Amino acid sequence: MTTASLSFPMPSPRLLRPILVGGAIAGTLDLTSAFLTFGFNVPRAIAGGLLGRSAFQSTSPAVWVLGVMLHFTIAFSAATIYCFASRRLTFLRDHWLVCGMFYGIAVFLVMTLVVLPLSALHSAGPYQWRGLVQGIVVQMTIIGLPISFSLRKLGA
C-alpha cells in the first residue's frame, strides 16, 4: 500500500508580506466599497454564494461573519495568485501599474463569469453596461492596484 502526501507550496518569506498586505488592503477597500454601494448586508450576499438564498433570511451573525471571511479568502487568493505568477512573469513586478489594472479586470471577469454562475446563487446576467463598467473600474483600482503595488514595494 502506498500513501501519497498532498503538499502545498508555502510562499517564500519574500512573497508572504505582499500577499498578506495586498490581500488585506484589496479586501478592505473592496468590502468598504460594497458597503457604501449596496449596504451593510453585503456579507450575507457573499455567504449566499455558499449557502444559497437562505443566507438572506438568516438573522444569525455567523452568516454575516462567514461572508466577511469568504470575501477575505477571495482577496488573499487573488493576491497569492498574482504573487506566485510574478515568480515566472517578472514583468508583473516591473510594470505593476498596467499589470495591476489588467489583473483587476481579470479578477472581475473570473468572479462575474465563473464564480458567481457556479455559486449557490447561480448569478448570471443579463448585465447592464453601467454595472459592468463600474465593476471593472472598481476592481482595477481597489483590487488589482493594491495587490500589484504591494508586490512591487514589499516583494524582493
Side-chain angles (χ1 to χ4, degrees):
M1 176 182 234
T2 62
T3 60
S5 66
L6 181 63
S7 65
F8 296 100
M10 286 298 295
S12 69
R14 70 182 186 92
L15 290 182
L16 191 57
R17 281 185 22 191
I19 289 170
L20 293 176
V21 171
I25 292 172
T28 301
L29 290 174
D30 190 39
L31 196 56
T32 302
S33 170
F35 284 151
L36 294 174
T37 305
F38 302 109
F40 199 62
N41 278 325
V42 167
R44 291 191 190 286
I46 297 168
L50 191 62
L51 303 175
R53 301 239 176 248
S54 64
F56 295 103
Q57 282 80 38
S58 173
T59 58
S60 170
V63 173
W64 196 89
V65 171
L66 174 65
V68 171
M69 290 174 52
L70 290 171
H71 176 77
F72 278 98
T73 299
I74 293 167
F76 286 119
S77 297
T80 301
I81 291 167
Y82 189 88
C83 290
F84 271 102
S86 74
R87 293 170 130 182
R88 297 268 181 175
L89 307 171
T90 57
F91 64 87
L92 292 176
R93 184 180 301 120
D94 298 336
H95 303 285
W96 67 271
L97 185 64
V98 173
C99 291
M101 292 189 337
F102 276 105
Y103 188 64
I105 294 170
V107 169
F108 174 80
L109 292 174
V110 168
M111 291 301 297
T112 303
L113 301 175
V114 178
V115 175
L116 290 176
L118 293 175
S119 74
L121 294 176
H122 307 293
S123 300
Y127 302 108
Q128 294 182 352
W129 178 252
R130 182 176 182 266
L132 287 173
V133 171
Q134 179 183 358
I136 288 171
V137 170
V138 166
Q139 295 296 304
M140 287 168 56
T141 55
I142 66 176
I143 296 291
L145 289 180
I147 291 171
S148 64
F149 184 71
S150 68
L151 177 67
R152 172 74 175 180
K153 288 298 179 186
L154 301 173

